Amino acid sequence: CASHPLRSLAQNARRLMFAIPEAPDRGQSFHRRILECIVASDGMGARSTMFEHLRQVEQDIVAAAMLSDAKDM
């Protein structure tokens, strides 16, 4: 399946994210805010919050990868 490498990459990213203790709770907070925007028919708010969430996920993955690299040294 062509999506297999992408699925593997996503699974590794999730594993790394869970190395940051506050990341799962923060992610749930973003999900709630996105849902609230959708329920309120606030498409721009949902979009903005989703981009904010993705930026935070990226930061968490980078931080977790750095921690992982430091442990490997």
Side-chain angles (χ1 to χ4, degrees), residues 30-31 39 45:
F30 275 111
H31 292 175
V39 169

Side-chain angles (χ1 to χ4, degrees), residues 31-43 45-46:
H31 292 175
R32 279 190 295 278
R33 288 173 42 206
I34 293 164
L35 179 59
E36 288 169 3
C37 289
I38 292 169
V39 169
S41 298
D42 180 6

Side-chain angles (χ1 to χ4, degrees), residues 7-71:
R7 185 181 312 130
S8 178
L9 182 62
Q11 288 171 338
N12 286 339
R14 283 185 63 131
R15 180 184 51 76
L16 284 173
M17 259 187 3
F18 279 91
I20 304 294
E22 63 275 3
D25 288 338
R26 187 172 40 238
Q28 288 300 311
S29 176
F30 275 111
H31 292 175
R32 279 190 295 278
R33 288 173 42 206
I34 293 164
L35 179 59
E36 288 169 3
C37 289
I38 292 169
V39 169
S41 298
D42 180 6
M44 292 303 290
R47 178 186 170 114
S48 173
T49 304
M50 185 65 201
F51 279 117
E52 184 182 350
H53 176 39
L54 292 174
R55 281 190 297 272
Q56 184 62 56
V57 167
E58 180 182 32
Q59 291 173 2
D60 287 344
I61 290 170
V62 168
M66 289 173 31
L67 285 173
S68 179
D69 287 348
K71 288 179 185 176

